[in-house]
Amino acid sequence: MTTERLSLRKMTTEAECCFVLSGRVCAFSKSDIAAVISKVVMLDGVVVDDARQINDALELYSKHGVDYWDAYLAAAARAGNLVVANFDGDFQRLGASVYLL
């Protein structure tokens, strides 16, 4: 098992967008939110260090109806061949390796 660390800064912008746009005021569907943010990430002039990982997370967010934070963590774990420590194993359905606590 590796001791790599994820940068929280990398995922705060899109996570905040997902949170706000899916809230009571905006109430957009997760699939609509994922589609728009995926397009923004790919725009010329937008610099994203981990666009593939963000798009993978957005796909998980949309398909499985999970919070974006969970989707991003699962996508990061899959991309880096890392293990997610979790109490209930929900990350397994997202394709991540899980260490049950």
Side-chain angles (χ1 to χ4, degrees), residues 50-101:
D50 53 355
R52 174 177 277 181
Q53 194 167 301
I54 289 170
N55 282 324
D56 288 347
L58 289 167
E59 184 177 337
L60 293 172
Y61 170 76
S62 174
K63 282 186 176 179
H64 296 281
V66 296
D67 290 335
Y68 181 78
W69 293 106
D70 290 345
Y72 185 89
L73 184 58
R78 292 182 345 176
N81 202 21
L82 304 172
V83 176
V84 177
N86 188 275
F87 290 104
D88 57 20
D90 283 346
F91 283 94
Q92 287 175 322
R93 70 184 174 108
L94 302 177
S97 297
V98 176
Y99 175 80
L100 292 175
L101 297 173

Side-chain angles (χ1 to χ4, degrees), residues 31-43:
S31 59
D32 287 344
I33 295 167
V36 170
I37 295 175
S38 289
K39 289 178 183 175
V40 170
V41 167
M42 301 310 288
L43 287 173

Side-chain angles (χ1 to χ4, degrees), residues 3-60:
T3 58
E4 266 184 61
R5 295 178 187 232
L6 299 175
S7 169
L8 291 180
R9 200 269 348 126
K10 288 182 180 181
M11 63 182 180
T12 55
T13 303
E14 63 274 9
E16 194 64 28
C17 289
C18 289
F19 178 76
V20 170
L21 293 173
S22 67
R24 285 182 286 168
V25 174
C26 295
F28 289 105
S29 71
K30 290 185 178 190
S31 59
D32 287 344
I33 295 167
V36 170
I37 295 175
S38 289
K39 289 178 183 175
V40 170
V41 167
M42 301 310 288
L43 287 173
D44 289 339
V46 175
V47 178
V48 180
D49 293 334
D50 53 355
R52 174 177 277 181
Q53 194 167 301
I54 289 170
N55 282 324
D56 288 347
L58 289 167
E59 184 177 337
L60 293 172

